[in-house]
Amino acid sequence: MSSWYKLALGNDDEAFEPALRIQQMFMSKFLMCPPGSGRALFSCYDKANDNLWLYFSPAAQDIALRVYAQPCDSPTALDCIGLLAGEGDALGMGESPLLKKAA
């Protein structure tokens, strides 16, 4: 099973430009994929640490590795996760703890 990836981008001021560039990189590849590819890019803002995290689905590994994201478990923070680009149902693929909580 492939891994999810995450990348810390810093606070709002630090994260805006890098997040925008990564989202554009992601979309250029995503638009060429067939439906059901599982490619997804999510964000989660950690209020306690003033940090924006990006989460890449296993199918988006090519982009994750280009931006030096680190392997991680699938995201589990239901209250802060948001889809930036791609297929939101990527969270339901495999053994995502989010899917188990939502069911």
Side-chain angles (χ1 to χ4, degrees):
M1 182 176 171
S2 299
S3 178
W4 281 76
Y5 291 83
K6 70 179 181 177
L7 178 67
L9 292 181
N11 65 32
D12 282 341
D13 293 333
E14 297 167 341
F16 181 76
E17 289 296 326
L20 181 61
R21 284 192 307 270
I22 291 168
Q23 187 176 24
Q24 290 170 340
M25 286 173 37
F26 176 90
M27 286 305 296
S28 67
K29 295 266 188 169
F30 174 71
L31 292 173
M32 295 184 284
C33 290
S37 67
R39 291 179 71 92
L41 176 64
F42 294 91
S43 67
C44 182
Y45 182 70
D46 177 0
K47 292 178 187 176
N49 295 306
D50 191 22
N51 186 61
L52 178 71
W53 289 94
L54 294 185
Y55 288 89
F56 302 80
S57 69
Q61 177 183 23
D62 57 333
I63 302 298
L65 294 176
R66 285 182 62 191
V67 297
Y68 305 104
Q70 299 297 311
C72 68
D73 293 329
S74 61
T76 58
L78 284 172
D79 57 334
C80 76
I81 194 85
L83 180 67
L84 283 182
E87 299 179 347
D89 60 352
L91 282 173
M93 295 179 170
E95 297 296 317
S96 171
L98 271 178
L99 181 64
K100 291 176 186 172
K101 283 185 179 181

